[in-house]
Amino acid sequence: LTRHITLLLQDVERMRGELDGLHGVQTGHVEIATVEGAAVELLPAALKRMRERYPKVTIGVTVQGSQSIPSAVVNGQADLGLAFALPRGGEITQLCVGHFRLGALMTPSHALAGESHVSYAQCCEHGVIQAKSELSVHHLIAPLHKRAAPNKALLHSNSMELARQLARQQLGIAFQTRIGIEADLARGELLHIPLSDQGGIFSDLGVYARKDRDLPVAVQALAHLLGEEIALRERDETPLAPRIS
């Protein structure tokens, strides 16, 4: 019953926005559930553009792990989900997506800092920080970890920000895409060295909505801006350089 009421309220919000649009005033409210990394630079950039174009639209943001975002979208807690590596199909639909290389995060003084790319096994020799299961990177790394270091003691975290701070303190190597660490890379405080396993591992960052839902104009507008920001960052991705022996 609660879910049914929530979905009805979403439809009311859509109709209100469309009626306001007929009078030339774009209003409405958008709730978005996002992963931590996207909330650092990508989402703020989209929200800034959204405010410039639609100043009367209000926006709510909830930061959570990728694995819990689909239920938030399906249950009506969020209009849009911004998440990494979500499975296709089910009750959500992918509105746009970008492909980002997974890499090892370390300081410029690290022993592996001079490598053009590294394997997960190489990283394990220097200690790694493993993401907990609520984060999508955990499921990308888990098969590599099982083969390389099934019994090795690790640091575990469900926060990408904490993992970055631990890597900064040289307590281990963290793994993620470049999304969310743009400023660290620009300042030269951290390095992002692509993983060479399987010819390179990518994580998809996508924008999601509930399948078959008629999205309000404000929700469509934000989804479009998020898609543009994702595409802009995807263009900066570079192919994995071959190892020179």
Side-chain angles (χ1 to χ4, degrees):
L1 178 60
T2 300
R3 179 181 175 186
H4 177 66
I5 292 172
T6 300
L7 300 183
L8 286 176
L9 291 174
Q10 287 183 334
D11 288 337
V12 170
E13 183 66 30
R14 177 178 61 83
M15 290 300 299
R16 181 183 292 115
E18 291 179 356
L19 290 171
D20 288 340
L22 293 175
H23 294 88
V25 179
Q26 182 57 61
T27 63
H29 180 78
V30 185
E31 280 289 332
I32 179 167
T34 180
V35 291
E36 188 178 14
V40 177
E41 290 197 16
L42 190 153
L43 180 57
L47 293 182
K48 180 180 179 182
R49 295 172 61 195
M50 186 74 179
R51 176 54 58 87
E52 292 170 349
R53 298 186 187 186
Y54 306 103
K56 293 185 180 296
V57 173
T58 59
I59 298 172
V61 179
T62 301
V63 177
Q64 55 196 92
S66 281
Q67 301 305 302
S68 64
I69 286 178
S71 63
V73 173
V74 171
N75 293 331
Q77 297 167 327
D79 298 295
L80 296 174
L82 181 57
F84 281 106
L86 291 187
R88 304 292 178 86
E91 297 182 82
I92 60 173
T93 185
Q94 188 182 79
L95 303 179
C96 59
V97 67
H99 310 286
F100 299 92
R101 188 177 294 282
L102 203 63
L105 205 59
M106 65 188 73
T107 62
S109 61
H110 195 278
L112 296 176
E115 300 290 329
S116 61
H117 60 279
V118 293
S119 69
Y120 186 79
Q122 280 180 283
C123 296
C124 285
E125 295 174 3
H126 299 269
V128 295
I129 303 159
Q130 192 174 44
K132 289 192 173 183
S133 60
E134 53 262 46
L135 301 180
S136 61
V137 67
H138 168 89
H139 303 280
L140 295 173
I141 291 294
L144 304 180
H145 178 69
K146 186 176 181 180
R147 291 197 299 269
N151 301 313
K152 198 176 184 71
L154 300 168
L155 286 166
H156 300 260
S157 172
N158 70 345
S159 167
M160 298 309 298
E161 176 57 32
L162 176 59
R164 285 193 291 273
Q165 295 297 338
L166 294 174
R168 251 192 214 99
Q169 298 300 320
Q170 298 192 16
L171 295 176
I173 296 174
F175 302 92
Q176 67 171 91
T177 69
R178 289 174 173 268
I179 300 297
I181 58 171
E182 295 93 340
D184 297 295
L185 298 176
R187 292 192 297 264
E189 296 176 0
L190 287 172
L191 299 177
H192 180 272
I193 301 180
L195 285 174
S196 59
D197 302 85
Q198 303 170 7
I201 300 175
F202 284 82
S203 185
D204 297 341
L205 177 63
V207 178
Y208 299 86
R210 195 181 80 239
K211 186 173 289 186
D212 300 325
R213 181 188 173 195
D214 291 325
L215 298 179
V217 176
V219 177
Q220 293 181 38
L222 181 54
H224 178 73
L225 292 174
L226 287 169
E228 289 184 345
E229 292 295 333
I230 289 173
L232 182 65
R233 286 157 177 77
E234 186 182 31
R235 287 198 291 270
D236 293 334
E237 289 290 298
T238 55
L240 183 64
R243 179 181 291 275
I244 299 176
S245 56

